[in-house]
């Protein structure tokens, strides 16, 4: 899948213009389907960024805490350095705890996985409709649009 195409709406709109649909049906697809895909792409990108930041913060903070605690207990570390390490460890512990809590309280880990699944279903349904394959292959032209709308609403 890679990076999402920011021109999905342009590409699909051009394809839509050549399809044998009424102006009303085309406007519904533009306003509902294309808008839903663009919004889903934006939401997923934001979820990816938040997921990446939180998971990496958890990893880095955990490693740093594990490495700094033994150093802070060494006798050769001065009082000032020991105090600085204490506050650094304390700050990292708070960051780790909050990141972990946000990740699971807001179900970001689930949104990360389920977001791409929903997005791929939207893509697949749109391209199947445009190509007239799958459920649309043997459907009458009038019912193809209805089937498409029902399937998109389910997603």
């Amino acid at each position: 899948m890679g990076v999402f195409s920011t021109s999905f709406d342009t590409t699909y709109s051009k394809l839509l213009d050549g399809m044998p649909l009424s102006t009303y049906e085309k406007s519904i697809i533009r306003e509902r389907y294309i808008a839903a895909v663009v919004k889903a792409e934006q939401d997923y990108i934001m979820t990816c960024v938040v997921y990446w930041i939180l998971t990496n913060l958890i990893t880095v903070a955990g490693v740093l805490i594990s490495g700094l605690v033994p150093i802070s207990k060494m006798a050769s570390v001065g009082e000032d350095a020991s105090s600085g390490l204490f506050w650094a460890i304390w700050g990292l512990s708070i960051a780790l705890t909050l990141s972990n809590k946000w990740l699971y309280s807001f179900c970001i880990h689930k949104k990360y996985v389920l977001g791409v699944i929903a997005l791929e279903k939207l893509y697949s349904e749109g391209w199947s409709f445009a190509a007239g394959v799958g459920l649309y292959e043997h459907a009458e032209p009038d019912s193809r649009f209805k089937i498409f709308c029902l399937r998109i609403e389910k997603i």
Side-chain angles (χ1 to χ4, degrees), residues 36-73:
V37 171
V38 169
K39 176 80 169 106
E41 285 176 340
Q42 292 168 347
D43 290 347
Y44 186 68
I45 289 169
M46 182 58 110
T47 300
C48 286
V49 168
V50 171
Y51 179 81
W52 185 86
I53 289 170
L54 293 178
T55 54
N56 283 299
L57 185 58
I58 290 168
T59 302
V60 169
V63 169
L64 288 175
I65 290 169
S66 299
L68 292 176
V69 167
I71 293 172
S72 69
K73 303 291 182 189

Side-chain angles (χ1 to χ4, degrees), residues 14 23 42 44 52 56 75 87-88 91 114 117 141 149 154-155:
K14 286 179 184 176
T23 305
Q42 292 168 347
Y44 186 68
W52 185 86
N56 283 299
W87 288 110
L114 297 177
I117 292 171
C149 290
K154 284 182 181 179
I155 296 172

Side-chain angles (χ1 to χ4, degrees), residues 71-147:
I71 293 172
S72 69
K73 303 291 182 189
M74 293 174 64
S76 63
V77 175
E79 182 122 356
D80 289 339
S82 182
S83 176
L85 284 171
F86 168 80
W87 288 110
I89 293 167
W90 182 83
L92 287 168
S93 297
I94 295 295
L96 184 139
T97 303
L98 289 175
S99 297
N100 196 41
K101 186 64 175 168
W102 288 331
L103 188 66
Y104 292 100
S105 292
F106 297 117
C107 297
I108 295 169
H109 62 295
K110 288 182 184 177
K111 290 177 186 176
Y112 178 73
V113 173
L114 297 177
V116 74
I117 292 171
L119 194 53
E120 287 298 328
K121 284 181 181 180
L122 285 169
Y123 286 147
S124 177
E125 200 63 40
W127 295 121
S128 295
F129 172 71
V133 296
L135 290 174
Y136 308 103
E137 188 172 358
H138 300 292
E140 306 223 359
D142 292 342
S143 63
R144 285 180 63 207
F145 177 74
K146 292 175 186 174
I147 294 169

